[in-house]
């Protein structure tokens, strides 16, 4: 009888713990994303770093503002940095000027992505992105 009672107690504790600690639900992720300032941070990166640092959303609520390592990682990994002139060179090198209006294609990249980090993150998610953007600027010959 003691074993059954002990087993029931363990199951109750586990069920209570799993119900009270939902982890990173979609709703909680959305709350983090709503706190992200798009002009300052790449928001997908912001969420990813936050979830890496704080396995439990309650820890985020209690510790995020005080955690200097977290703040530094957000800045290093996720802060939006505007395009630098030298970052355009590799983009032009990938553009076939006989087939595409390269100024148009590079313009689409710059207009669509706040900086090199954002563009590289989008390329990781969609390896065909560069081709898709360049296709929109294809030179049509009669």
């Amino acid at each position: 009888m003691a074993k059954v009672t002990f087993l029931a107690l363990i199951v109750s504790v586990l069920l209570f713990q799993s119900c009270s600690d939902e982890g990173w639900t979609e709703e909680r992720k959305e709350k983090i994303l709503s706190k992200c300032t798009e002009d300052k941070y790449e928001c997908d990166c912001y969420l990813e770093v936050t979830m890496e640092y704080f396995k439990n959303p309650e820890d985020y609520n209690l510790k995020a503002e005080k955690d200097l390592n977290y703040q530094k990682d957000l800045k290093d990994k996720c802060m939006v940095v505007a395009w630098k002139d030298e970052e355009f060179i590799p983009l032009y090198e990938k553009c076939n000027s006989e087939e595409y209006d390269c100024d148009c294609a590079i313009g689409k990249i710059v207009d669509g992505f706040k900086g090199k980090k954002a563009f590289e993150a989008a390329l990781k998610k969609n390896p065909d992105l560069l081709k898709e953007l360049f296709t929109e600027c294809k030179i049509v010959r009669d």
Side-chain angles (χ1 to χ4, degrees), residues 8-141:
L9 179 63
I10 289 175
V11 169
S12 297
V13 168
L14 291 174
L15 285 174
F16 175 75
Q17 189 176 23
S18 66
C19 291
S20 64
D21 182 20
E22 296 176 28
W24 285 104
T25 63
E26 290 305 312
E27 181 181 341
R28 288 178 174 175
K29 289 177 188 178
E30 286 301 318
K31 280 186 179 182
I32 296 300
L33 287 173
S34 71
K35 292 179 182 182
C36 177
T37 307
E38 287 186 3
D39 291 341
K40 188 173 181 179
Y41 295 107
E42 298 300 329
C43 292
D44 288 341
C45 177
Y46 185 95
L47 176 62
E48 186 177 306
V49 168
T50 299
M51 289 172 48
E52 284 174 14
Y53 259 85
F54 306 104
K55 302 301 178 196
N56 180 328
E58 296 307 317
D59 289 341
Y60 167 79
N61 293 332
L62 297 172
K63 301 175 186 175
E65 289 183 18
K66 300 172 202 157
D67 191 323
L68 297 179
N69 289 329
Y70 166 68
Q71 298 295 333
K72 183 181 181 321
D73 262 5
L74 280 179
K75 182 179 177 183
D76 292 347
K77 293 179 180 179
C78 305
M79 187 166 264
V80 171
V81 179
W83 288 96
K84 297 175 188 165
D85 289 341
E86 63 270 12
E87 293 172 335
F88 297 117
I89 295 168
L91 297 174
Y92 275 102
E93 289 172 352
K94 291 180 181 183
C95 181
N96 179 347
S97 60
E98 292 180 22
E99 191 174 351
Y100 303 105
D101 175 348
C102 294
D103 289 333
C104 166
I106 305 305
K108 287 196 172 293
I109 293 169
V110 172
D111 291 344
F113 303 93
K114 294 181 175 120
K116 184 179 177 183
K117 283 183 185 179
F119 179 62
E120 289 174 342
L123 277 175
K124 283 182 183 177
K125 290 181 181 178
N126 179 3
D128 294 328
L129 178 63
L130 194 59
K131 182 179 175 183
E132 292 169 10
L133 291 169
F134 278 23
T135 299
E136 294 177 21
C137 297
K138 192 169 184 98
I139 296 173
V140 179
R141 305 214 192 273

